[in-house]
Amino acid sequence: MEFRSPGQRASDMIVTRWPSVPLAIIVFIFSSGAGILDSYLSSAQPRAPISSSSARSPKNLILLIGDGFGPAYATLARAVAGRELVLDAYLVGSAGTAALDSRVTDSAAAATALACGLTTLNGAIAVDSAGVSRRTILEAAEARGMSTGLVTTSRITHATPACFGAHHVSRNEENEIASQMLASGVDLLLGGGSRQFHPLPAAAHQDQRDLLAEAASDGFHLVTTNTELESAASGRLLGLFGPSHMSYVLDRDDSEPSLPAMTRVALDRLSRDPDGFFLMVEGGRIDHAGHDNDPAAAVAEVLEFDSAFNTVLDWSRRDGQTLVVVTADHETGGLSLGTAIDGRARYEFHAEALKPVRKSAEAMASRMTDGENARKVLLEDAGIRDLNEAEATAIDLATRNDRTILIGHAISRRAIVGWTTLGHTGVDVGVYAFGPGAIRFAGHRHLAAVGREMATALGLKIGGPINE
């Protein structure tokens, strides 16, 4: 720590400090410092991705996307878990996320960047700014004869998975996206969103198509529970584990598979193809926890995503022919670790305050909709004993959506973590890589360049018109 007298300038301090340091030491520092730093970083951070295997061309590609997984999420998850993430040893670079029309992207534009290697407008699903459909890495892999799969904890028709297996100017047209995904040639689809595949009732297709019946006739085997997933017959697989998004980790029961479990099934099935495979795995609900400003749910989703990566890592180490790339599409919520409380800056955050939380803010709000009060719910599900009168009243009187946010803020206040938005932010996100070709992803680039690098590593061409 430096101390200076009142009125003393920083330049004065430098002048008075340097003469006390022997000249030989100064010369050594400037001539050798970079080498010392490189040596320190090498010992402190395992550089497993940068190896002799990195020069080889991969046979398979696995892309993991943590939706909304900004850098602060990783820090908070480490603090709560009390350990490093498995991902940490494979951090090789970072990526900018801007869409063509905004510095702050949505998931559709960001996933299009990864899938097609080009920037586009927010809301666009694998189309360029003129609405022209562009070839995705999944489609390029299929054209080569590789097996393909998409796994997510969100709806399978949601923006991120949609950008790999469909094309549309609007991410909101999920019924049309569902029909395109089934017709895309993809071999495996696992996630939520069964409502987009039924002709009735609320999310009915205007033409009354029963996409589940069509999927069955096209050779898909449908599973809807964890048990059915584990015992599914060979062949094309459609797993739909709920009408909308799958449950948060904190709220899930045994009927729904975990993200690592779905990933294991996907790896087992797709790896049987001698021509190789492409697999995208999304931790979709990290983003939703960020939108809800719910730090405990966010941490649980990040830790499950990290576990899914560990599943992929173990498999890929044995295989030796698989490039694994991990990144986020954007950051959500503007999460800050340390924030002002009652107008006073706090130079701390309390990760331990999140450990007693056993349900998501969404689930707690649902309990209150059924008639329970804020004090009882937050005591039982979040371990909060000091909910003040103003907080309790505001939560009790809020609408369900607002109540979810207020519960997230009550938990955040006790952890001294802050949020700047209920939407996305424009911060850079991490890029992690392992296996043949991993060295390609060192440094900083845009998500679209990450997409192009993945395609180049496999010798695939993406981003052109799909009729070429």
Side-chain angles (χ1 to χ4, degrees):
M1 183 175 294
E2 298 177 349
F3 296 92
R4 66 181 74 172
S5 59
Q8 186 179 20
R9 296 173 299 173
S11 58
D12 294 334
M13 295 182 67
I14 293 171
V15 169
T16 58
R17 183 185 300 118
W18 279 111
S20 66
V21 181
L23 180 60
I25 295 178
I26 295 172
V27 173
F28 175 75
I29 290 172
F30 279 96
S31 64
S32 305
I36 293 171
L37 180 60
D38 289 345
S39 175
Y40 168 75
L41 290 175
S42 295
S43 62
Q45 173 81 358
R47 307 305 291 175
I50 312 301
S51 64
S52 59
S53 67
S54 295
R56 300 200 316 270
S57 296
K59 175 183 177 182
N60 313 305
L61 172 64
I62 303 171
L63 170 63
L64 294 97
I65 302 173
D67 199 321
F69 178 46
Y73 284 72
T75 307
L76 185 58
R78 285 188 212 103
V80 174
R83 60 167 175 82
E84 297 296 302
L85 301 180
V86 179
L87 278 165
D88 290 336
Y90 303 93
L91 179 66
V92 296
S94 61
T97 64
L100 190 62
D101 56 338
S102 174
R103 290 180 183 268
V104 179
T105 191
D106 81 328
S107 292
T112 297
L114 289 166
C116 302
L118 57 85
T119 56
T120 192
L121 309 176
N122 278 338
I125 300 294
V127 299
D128 62 20
S129 58
V132 177
S133 298
R134 296 289 177 167
R135 183 183 296 269
T136 73
I137 195 165
L138 181 145
E139 291 167 334
E142 288 175 348
R144 179 185 284 180
M146 301 168 69
S147 292
T148 58
L150 300 172
V151 174
T152 183
T153 51
S154 70
R155 292 191 296 273
I156 196 64
T157 53
H158 213 232
T160 300
C163 287
F164 292 86
H167 304 270
H168 207 286
V169 294
S170 174
R171 60 179 288 175
N172 297 324
E173 298 300 322
E174 291 190 54
N175 289 340
E176 171 59 24
I177 288 167
S179 63
Q180 288 191 33
M181 293 180 86
L182 291 178
S184 69
V186 68
D187 299 287
L188 177 142
L189 295 168
L190 302 178
S194 62
R195 72 187 191 190
Q196 312 303 148
F197 294 80
H198 288 291
L200 294 171
H205 290 260
Q206 296 300 313
D207 56 7
Q208 296 297 295
R209 292 173 64 184
D210 185 344
L211 293 183
L212 293 181
E214 292 182 25
S217 66
D218 287 340
F220 278 101
H221 183 64
L222 175 66
V223 295
T224 59
T225 68
N226 188 29
T227 301
E228 291 176 351
L229 176 66
E230 295 295 340
S231 60
S234 59
R236 302 177 79 188
L237 185 62
L238 174 62
L240 297 172
F241 308 104
S244 185
H245 305 302
M246 294 178 65
S247 300
Y248 281 119
V249 171
L250 292 178
D251 307 329
R252 187 184 300 148
D253 61 32
D254 292 339
S255 67
E256 289 182 62
S258 66
L259 187 61
M262 291 191 290
T263 302
R264 282 192 296 272
V265 169
L267 289 171
D268 178 64
R269 298 172 78 94
L270 297 180
S271 63
R272 300 172 190 175
D273 191 332
D275 295 317
F277 68 88
F278 166 75
L279 171 64
M280 191 285 294
V281 177
E282 182 197 23
R285 302 224 66 189
I286 302 170
D287 172 66
H288 301 156
H291 281 294
D292 287 347
N293 288 182
D294 182 350
V299 165
E301 298 299 317
V302 168
L303 293 176
E304 181 178 67
F305 182 68
D306 191 53
S307 180
F309 169 72
N310 193 44
T311 297
V312 167
L313 184 64
D314 286 346
W315 186 91
S316 299
R317 279 174 171 159
R318 295 190 301 271
D319 172 70
Q321 304 179 83
T322 300
L323 171 62
V324 181
V325 179
V326 186
T327 191
D329 49 357
H330 53 73
E331 193 272 353
T332 303
L335 174 63
S336 68
L337 309 182
T339 188
I341 300 293
D342 297 329
R344 177 174 170 265
R346 300 286 291 273
Y347 281 43
E348 57 186 317
F349 74 94
H350 296 162
E352 64 275 9
L354 303 183
K355 292 182 179 181
V357 181
R358 63 187 188 92
K359 291 290 183 180
S360 71
E362 180 181 86
M364 287 185 246
S366 181
R367 279 188 65 184
M368 295 185 62
T369 300
D370 293 337
E372 300 186 65
N373 66 65
R375 290 188 185 279
K376 181 176 186 292
V377 171
L378 269 71
L379 174 61
E380 293 177 354
D381 288 346
I384 295 178
R385 300 178 179 275
D386 61 344
L387 197 68
N388 63 47
E389 190 63 33
E391 288 176 308
T393 300
I395 294 171
D396 280 332
L397 296 179
T399 62
R400 178 167 178 170
N401 287 343
D402 289 343
R403 183 176 290 144
T404 299
I405 304 301
L406 290 174
I407 291 170
H409 287 177
I411 296 168
S412 297
R413 179 184 178 90
R414 283 144 183 90
I416 315 184
V417 301
W419 305 87
T420 65
T421 180
L422 299 175
H424 301 169
T425 66
V427 303
D428 296 339
V429 296
V431 177
Y432 310 76
F434 170 81
I439 197 170
R440 292 176 175 273
F441 302 91
H444 178 78
R445 54 180 51 77
H446 189 272
L447 288 176
V450 174
R452 293 192 296 272
E453 286 288 358
M454 291 189 298
T456 299
L458 262 70
L460 300 175
K461 292 184 178 181
I462 63 172
I466 58 175
N467 57 1
E468 285 186 350

